[in-house]
Amino acid sequence: MDPYIGKILDNRYEILERIGTGGMAVVYKGRDHRLNRLVAVKILKADLAQDEDFRRRFNAESQAVAQLSHPNIVSVYDVSRGGDTEYIVMELIDGITLKQYMEKRGQLNWRETLHFITQIMRGLSHAHSRGIIHRDIKPQNIMVMRDGSVKVADFGIACLENAAQTLTQEALGSVHYISPEQARGDRIDARSDIYSAGVVLYEMLTGRLPFEGDSAVSVAIQHLSSIPLAPREINREIPEQLELICMKAMAPDPDRRYPSADAMIADLEAFRKNPGVSLDFELSDLRPEETDEPTQALRTSAVRGGAAAAHRQSLQRERRRDYYDDYDDNPPRRISTKQKVLIVVAVLLAAVLAVALIRSILASFTGTEEYGVPSLIGLTVEEAENRDDVAGIFEIREVGSEPSSKYEEGRIVRQDPDAGETRKGGGLIIQVWVSAGEDVGEMIDVTDMTVAQANVALRSLIEQYNLTVEAREEDEQYSDELDAGYIISTTPAEGEALKQGDTIYLVVSKGPEQVTLPSFVGQQVDTVTGQAETLNLNFRIIETPSSEPKGQIIDQDPAATTAVDKGSTVTLTVSSGPQEDNGEGGSTLYPGTDLLTIPLPSNTTSGYLRVMQDGEPIYRGQINCADLNWNFSIEISGSGETRIQAYLDDEMFFDETYTIDGYYG
């Protein structure tokens, strides 16, 4: 049995179940009783918690990460210590890791990959702007939500875990994604996260890792000394510009990588808007400079064990094509006079052949008919192929799909070359992109939240679909169930479609409707209680001897002009007529009061409480059991025996009879 399950940390976070285990911590599903929400609680493993220096760094790192607030970063709510237990309270994610997603889907298409990597880089940009480096970016630390958004997780934990990590088999999961400077043990900066993000991008595009090996050391050595296969050598459908972005992010030399996450985002956005965009660099620009310095040793005790793996990787590298440049490392030889003559003759022959070839090509185009490129936008591929100005002239080649609110699914939304351009010759091709249908999202449930909380929950949808959220005063409603400021309903409702530019309307609670109490003093009790339904009030009657006529109201609580919720209980003190002297020193019996504590059900956190005295309600309202420490106190009054009953959500859990002593005066 897990010792933490059922335990409440800091009298606030109840541990419900274990949901995951990592190298440094165990993750539990928990409930925050103060805010009544589900959370993830990450508890540091006991052996690490014994190290005081580690605990201090753990707390400092986590406190810094708690300052991050971005839709693409898992939120950290709290960092605390309960006795010897160090823990972090985080947002509970309804989703799976990117690693699990890739294992289910296999190789991702480049559009989905672009969608994911852009969000990852936005999260890193926010963290880097706050001076925080993740140090362990990998698919296992990236969460994919049900709505397709992603969140980067394990800031802080990743920093500490990486600092204590050695390049052993236990580190194999992370070493596939570390930068060369991390493998060397050098000082790192934000560009190390960019390298790791580049590896994640490579894996999404190709369905494989850039470097594989039998041990962590052999993989790390490849990061230091090898160049991976270019993504398009594995999958020719990957756009060239996206390949360039990936390889620049993975440049072995940090100075040749993107200098910041924002710079990489700029190229990703430019590519998204125009896949044929011309970037200001080429693969050859990313080639590491040659150096005569000897190879540096890895700063790890495991290097000796990886010598054989390094030798195997060296042999593989000799057989692998260099995708940055083709050049000869052999020293030049002295050329003889005979060889020089042969070279000159060969050059002259090549020049003559080139001139003849050019003339032949130019002649072949003489008199070639010129064709205008027709507009195919809005047509299906079949309709386009059957056009008179296409059939027999152009080949229609479908190369992809795009969301479109203007054209229905299957109709052409973009073409290359554009309509109106001209082309000569034969074998002409028009590339087309067809509509994948309107990009439609799904509304999530934000009821029982405040407007501010709803805006946070909706942030990724707002950004993706350019949504507007409105909470109009004229839409506010009274509610007996929700306090003022909390959302009753939304339009569209949960699960309904969201389209580009939609507006989400929030109906916000004004709390229970209130009435202003009139004065009941001096009226007959039967007259007043007969108006209970009309007044939307409940009445509790206390009789007491008085010089006033029997049945006349002599006091009320709350007092007249007080604003109370509809359905509230008003206590009326009613005269029972004069009381004869009983010889006990006084002539009038007055009701006494007692403070009663009612224990609340331990298996319920909140509900609607109703307390009855002798069949009449003396309290009604919504309560939070945790805030009351599972005990509800109320003052009761009267004389003699009285029966108290309590209901939570209309289920009776308390039924006791008490004796209240009155007094004579």
Side-chain angles (χ1 to χ4, degrees), residues 133 162 299 397 438 491 568 585 614 637-638 649:
I133 304 169
N162 188 271
R299 299 179 184 178
R397 183 174 296 173
E438 188 166 7
T491 303
S568 296
D614 296 328
S637 61
D649 293 334

Side-chain angles (χ1 to χ4, degrees), residues 101-137:
Y101 186 84
M102 288 192 289
E103 288 171 351
K104 288 183 177 180
R105 293 287 301 274
Q107 178 181 309
L108 308 185
N109 67 63
W110 68 263
R111 294 184 184 279
E112 190 172 24
T113 297
L114 177 64
H115 175 67
F116 285 160
I117 192 63
T118 302
Q119 294 183 74
I120 293 168
M121 297 312 298
R122 285 173 180 161
L124 289 178
S125 171
H126 177 75
H128 294 168
S129 70
R130 303 305 192 271
I132 295 174
I133 304 169
H134 191 287
R135 299 180 175 88
D136 196 22
I137 291 295

Side-chain angles (χ1 to χ4, degrees), residues 317-371:
R317 190 166 62 258
E318 289 174 6
R319 295 192 296 267
R320 180 178 296 164
R321 174 182 172 188
D322 184 345
Y323 289 94
Y324 292 119
D325 200 2
D326 291 324
Y327 54 90
D328 187 4
D329 292 331
N330 295 323
R333 297 179 299 167
R334 189 177 299 278
I335 301 174
S336 67
T337 302
K338 183 178 180 181
Q339 288 174 322
K340 289 179 181 179
V341 172
L342 289 173
I343 291 172
V344 170
V345 172
V347 170
L348 290 173
L349 287 173
V352 171
L353 288 172
V355 170
L357 181 61
I358 291 171
R359 287 179 176 175
S360 175
I361 293 172
L362 291 175
S364 68
F365 278 97
T366 302
T368 299
E369 189 173 352
E370 188 173 70
Y371 300 100

Side-chain angles (χ1 to χ4, degrees), residues 369-511:
E369 189 173 352
E370 188 173 70
Y371 300 100
V373 178
S375 174
L376 308 179
I377 305 301
L379 304 177
T380 65
V381 172
E382 183 178 359
E383 290 170 347
E385 289 173 337
N386 291 330
R387 283 177 58 123
D388 292 340
D389 51 1
V390 171
I393 304 171
F394 294 97
E395 175 191 347
I396 306 300
R397 183 174 296 173
E398 183 179 337
V399 294
S401 61
E402 296 178 357
S404 173
S405 58
K406 185 175 180 181
Y407 298 102
E408 63 185 27
E409 187 174 353
R411 296 199 171 269
I412 297 170
V413 295
R414 185 158 61 91
Q415 68 181 72
D416 182 27
D418 292 329
E421 295 186 20
T422 58
R423 292 292 185 269
K424 289 183 179 181
L428 302 177
I429 296 172
I430 302 177
Q431 294 183 323
V432 297
W433 288 258
V434 300
S435 169
E438 188 166 7
D439 186 9
V440 177
E442 185 176 297
M443 180 62 184
I444 62 174
D445 182 18
V446 295
T447 56
D448 296 347
M449 296 183 187
T450 65
V451 174
Q453 290 169 341
N455 274 294
V456 172
L458 290 165
R459 186 178 298 167
S460 61
L461 287 173
I462 292 171
E463 292 179 354
Q464 185 174 355
Y465 296 102
N466 192 27
L467 304 176
T468 301
V469 179
E470 288 191 15
R472 301 178 298 190
E473 187 174 348
E474 60 265 29
D475 292 338
E476 292 181 355
Q477 297 179 6
Y478 291 107
S479 172
D480 294 332
E481 286 76 30
L482 291 175
D483 292 338
Y486 284 82
I487 297 170
I488 300 172
S489 63
T490 63
T491 303
E494 178 190 5
E496 292 184 358
L498 288 172
K499 301 177 182 178
Q500 285 289 337
D502 276 357
T503 298
I504 299 173
Y505 295 99
L506 308 178
V507 178
V508 180
S509 169
K510 295 195 289 188

Side-chain angles (χ1 to χ4, degrees), residues 69-74 119 149-152 456 459-460 463:
S69 177
H70 192 273
N72 297 123
I73 295 177
V74 174
Q119 294 183 74
S149 62
V150 301
K151 290 178 179 279
V152 182
V456 172
R459 186 178 298 167
S460 61
E463 292 179 354

